[in-house]
Each structure stands twice: as structure tokens, then as C-alpha cells.
Amino acid sequence: MKTALIVRHVPREGAAGFLQPIEAAGYHIERIDVADPAFIDADLCAPELLIMMGGPMGVYEHDIHPWIPLQIEKLAARLERDRPTLGVCLGSQMIAAALGARVYPGGQNEIGFAPVTLSSNGHDSPLRHLAEAPVLHWHGDTFDLPDNVELLASTTAYPHQAFRRGANVLALQFHAEMGEDPRFEQWLTHFRDDFHASGPTEESLRAGHDEHGPGAVAAGRMMIGEWLAGFR
């Protein structure tokens, strides 16, 4: 059976709604946390599919999180081999960094359910399923677009929301996996400082989750299912 490895940067940010299409595509899912001592020796090139999820840390915080440069080094080796790789939020920023792009604070937090604007390339990609579905945004960092990738989606606040490199590498700044996972309540608790500083309230975020969450997850699952079917 094919193996998919999920790299978690904090326990409350897992693959959530993406688990279903990954399992449906025939992958046996394994997980590793960056806090696990075994991560030092983990071979990120080995699994058929690598999924890197989000986290509150910045890719540039090497002094606080010494595992970050190690992960980028391992990831760069995988990308050199063009192995299927998905990055979500922090994971997308890791992909950008591993491809040589700058990752940096964006100057504002973008938090809550809102649509993304698809580029022409985005409309011709698996992201087409998100065209009518607001998805969860929860970030304050951004990245320069790496060389030799296609920009797929933007928002007014953050023009670089998603990109792909060929058929095998997909980076998503937003959270199309979140909308039905009970861990969203943990986000409201543990990441409260993020949205208190940017405008949304706990009540408005929960209301957005209730209204848009199921549609976001359904669209996200179709997106990931189509992406998984297109590897070369």
C-alpha cells in the first residue's frame, strides 16, 4: 500500500477533512510531529505522499525552532526529486522556502472564512472546486512566489494564496481542510491573540465556521481528490 506521511507542527493542526480523499486514493496514513525526537532522523523523501500542515511559528524563526532549517533541508531534497508534496499554511511557506523564496511577516492577520480569487491557471487546476466556496484563512505570514511555479489563487490582502509546481507539488496558504473538525474550538482558544489583534470575534468566527465549514470541506475534498489523481 502507498504511504502518506503527515507532518504536524502542532497537534491541533492535522489533515482534518483531507484525510478522506487521501485514504480513498489508497494511501496508508502515518503521522509524525516535529516535536518527536524521531523527526531528526525522519526520511521525508521516502513516503509516496508528504503532507505538511500548519502551525503558529514562522519559517524564519530558526533560533526559536531549530527543527525548521532541518525540515527545509529535508523538504528541498524531496522537491528536487519531484515527489508528491502538499503544504498547508505553514506547510505552504515551507515549500516556498525550500524552493528558494523568501518567507516573511505580511503585516496583517487574515483570519476567517472568505473566498479566494482563482487565477487563470487556478481555474484549470484542482482549485477550480473552490471557486464558489469560502475557505478558512488563518495566517499573518506570506512568501514571495518561487521560480518556475504557477500562481493559482489570491486574496486582496495576500496575493500569493496558492501555487503549484507541475502536477506533484501543491502549496495552499489557506485551510480548505477545516470546517467540520472539532479542533476548530481549540484554535479559538489557543490562537485567540491572533484574531483579537485583527478584528474578528470568537462569535463571528464560530458563525462563519457553522455557515461555510461544510461547503469548504466538501470543496477541499474534491480538490485534493483531483490533485491526487493527477500525479506524474
Side-chain angles (χ1 to χ4, degrees):
M1 181 177 286
K2 299 177 292 185
T3 298
L5 177 64
I6 297 172
V7 176
R8 298 189 303 190
H9 304 102
V10 289
R12 66 189 63 89
E13 295 206 36
F18 290 167
L19 292 176
Q20 186 272 335
I22 294 170
E23 291 174 336
Y27 290 91
H28 168 70
I29 296 175
E30 299 178 352
R31 297 169 177 81
I32 191 167
D33 293 328
V34 294
D36 186 334
F39 183 73
I40 295 175
D41 298 316
D43 183 359
L44 298 190
C45 289
E48 282 81 4
L49 174 64
L50 179 70
I51 306 106
M52 298 177 300
M53 298 309 301
M57 57 286 295
V59 169
Y60 43 82
E61 294 180 324
H62 294 191
D63 54 336
I64 303 173
H65 306 288
W67 50 265
I68 289 177
L70 175 64
Q71 183 172 341
I72 293 173
E73 180 181 355
K74 292 173 180 282
L75 176 58
R78 181 181 180 88
L79 296 178
E80 180 67 24
R81 302 183 190 184
D82 197 32
R83 300 278 276 162
T85 304
L86 171 66
V88 177
C89 200
L90 177 62
S92 72
Q93 298 160 11
M94 287 278 187
I95 291 176
L99 292 176
R102 183 172 64 108
V103 181
Y104 50 94
Q108 62 179 306
N109 288 337
E110 185 175 40
I111 297 177
F113 281 82
V116 294
T117 299
L118 300 183
S119 67
S120 58
N121 289 325
H123 282 289
D124 292 330
S125 80
L127 269 72
R128 63 190 177 86
H129 297 287
L130 304 181
E132 305 298 329
V135 292
L136 179 63
H137 302 265
W138 201 300
H139 68 97
D141 285 351
T142 190
F143 47 81
D144 294 335
L145 202 64
D147 294 335
N148 302 314
V149 304
E150 295 176 294
L151 179 66
L152 302 179
S154 302
T155 62
T156 300
Y158 284 95
H160 299 159
Q161 286 285 351
F163 66 85
R164 67 179 174 183
R165 193 191 67 180
N168 294 353
V169 178
L170 181 63
L172 308 172
Q173 177 85 300
F174 48 83
H175 293 276
E177 81 283 5
M178 288 297 290
E180 297 180 337
D181 193 309
R183 284 175 291 188
F184 183 71
E185 288 295 322
Q186 296 181 34
W187 290 30
L188 295 178
T189 299
H190 289 273
F191 304 144
R192 181 173 283 115
D193 289 346
D194 292 347
F195 60 82
H196 277 184
S198 60
T201 64
E202 184 174 331
E203 291 74 20
S204 67
L205 289 169
R206 190 176 285 114
H209 181 268
D210 292 344
E211 179 180 0
H212 300 298
V217 171
R221 284 174 171 162
M222 289 188 287
M223 172 187 66
I224 294 300
E226 182 174 324
W227 177 66
L228 293 171
F231 294 157
R232 296 172 185 167

